[in-house]
């Protein structure tokens, strides 16, 4: 019972933190961390939340730098990409610490999966995503989407397809994110298949088109089927 209550408290604290970040915007300054004296009085679960928060801050910084790199060229792009990787590596250290302090904190495993994926260790990323999905109390759609992007990086197209279908049934927002990632994969492999059978790339592109058309159709049906007001 105590273990269950602890998990609820930790997850609740994380939810409050993410709600604060969402309300403030990703560019808002992060709240100051606890002092060394307060850290000594915190429980391991509370320290895990603090470590997770720090890791997530570095993750967000890394994503921003990664996006900036796509808008630059040459040495400037390389510089931003290197800074992004550094932020992802920092986030990994904090996520690992969070999981060590509270092995039940499934969000920390998702964070590790993200960091491993962004630094190119896809096998380890899949391991962490699988752990997070297994531990989560419900359908962890964010981790399912992230894991699917790792599948794409490994050219595991059938696994990416299945992930999309699972997300389409459970979380359309995450399904749309994965759809964008799949289209980007096709675009990057259209001129250079990168070791993938060109026919497989073509089949995947066709499947994506069919699924995207179905998604638009069902979205339209949902809108037109709403009852009119009085």
């Amino acid at each position: 019972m105590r273990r269950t209550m602890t998990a609820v408290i930790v997850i609740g604290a994380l939810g409050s933190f993410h709600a604060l970040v969402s309300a403030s915007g990703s560019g808002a300054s992060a709240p100051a961390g606890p002092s060394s004296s307060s850290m000594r009085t915190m429980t391991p679960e509370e320290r895990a939340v603090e470590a997770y928060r720090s890791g997530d801050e570095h993750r967000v910084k890394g994503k921003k730098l990664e996006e900036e790199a796509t808008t630059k060229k040459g040495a400037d792009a390389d510089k931003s990409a290197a800074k992004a990787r550094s932020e992802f590596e920092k986030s990994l250290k904090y996520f690992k610490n969070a999981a060590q302090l509270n092995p039940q904190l499934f969000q920390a495993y998702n964070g590790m999966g993200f960091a491993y994926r962004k630094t190119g260790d896809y096998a380890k990323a899949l391991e962490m995503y699988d752990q997070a999905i297994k531990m989560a109390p419900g359908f962890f759609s964010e981790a399912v989407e992230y894991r699917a992007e790792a599948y794409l990086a490994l050219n595991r197209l059938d696994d990416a397809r299945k992930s999309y279908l699972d997300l389409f049934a459970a979380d359309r927002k995450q399904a749309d994110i994965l759809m964008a990632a799949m289209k980007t994969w096709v675009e990057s492999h259209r001129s250079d298949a990168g070791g993938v059978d060109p026919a497989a790339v073509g089949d995947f592109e066709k499947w994506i088109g069919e699924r995207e058309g179905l998604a638009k159709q069902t979205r339209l049906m949902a809108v037109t089927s709403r009852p009119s007001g009085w």
Side-chain angles (χ1 to χ4, degrees), residues 135-157:
M135 293 173 61
F139 183 74
F140 198 175
S141 58
E142 182 181 69
V144 172
E145 196 283 323
Y146 284 158
R147 183 178 64 179
E149 292 197 39
Y151 288 148
L152 288 173
L154 294 170
N155 300 325
R156 291 172 55 173
L157 303 184

Side-chain angles (χ1 to χ4, degrees), residues 92-106:
L92 180 58
K93 293 179 181 179
Y94 282 107
F95 288 137
K96 282 183 176 180
N97 188 32
Q100 290 172 352
L101 289 165
N102 182 6
Q104 302 305 313
L105 192 61
F106 60 88

